[in-house]
Amino acid sequence: MTVRPPVPPFDRAAALTKVQAAEDAWNTRDPERVAGAYTVDSVWRNRDTFVTGRAAIVEFLRDKWSRERDYALRKNLWAFDGDRIAVRFQYECRDNAGQWWRSYGNELWEFDKNGLMRRREAGINDVRIEESERRITGPRPESEHGAEFPIR
């Protein structure tokens, strides 16, 4: 069985580690790497899309990143308890026509005893931005891990 430390129950340090690991993985834009953090039967709600299983997660992410160019993400811990973590996030990307977007969201995560995510629910809103308004241009430097970012 795959174990993905840290494992529940989470304390603050473990929750922060889990959030940063997720941010780092998503910023690779590697669907297989990202999907490896989820159970084989993980259940997602991403906006209005429902996904079940690691293979479907990989397919979902391949499609997502074919449309969301130059994707760069920041996640921050919101709350944690036992086997659950709540996260707020922002990411920026450009669409295939070149329009830049900032997406704001909240995620609810639930983990199994081995530290794999078995449930993810994400609500996301998109705001059109100009390239000059970008704040997120790549992976977060280690010196900024855990730092809060502005809402606007």
Side-chain angles (χ1 to χ4, degrees), residues 5-6 43 47 115:
V43 176
R47 301 176 192 248

Side-chain angles (χ1 to χ4, degrees), residues 47 88-91 102-106 123-127 129 135 149-152:
R47 301 176 192 248
R88 67 184 188 95
F89 65 89
Q90 294 179 28
Y91 68 84
R102 182 174 302 125
S103 299
Y104 296 89
N106 300 296
I124 307 168
N125 300 299
D126 304 309
V127 176
I129 63 171
R135 297 190 307 242
F149 47 84
I151 291 176
R152 289 180 56 173

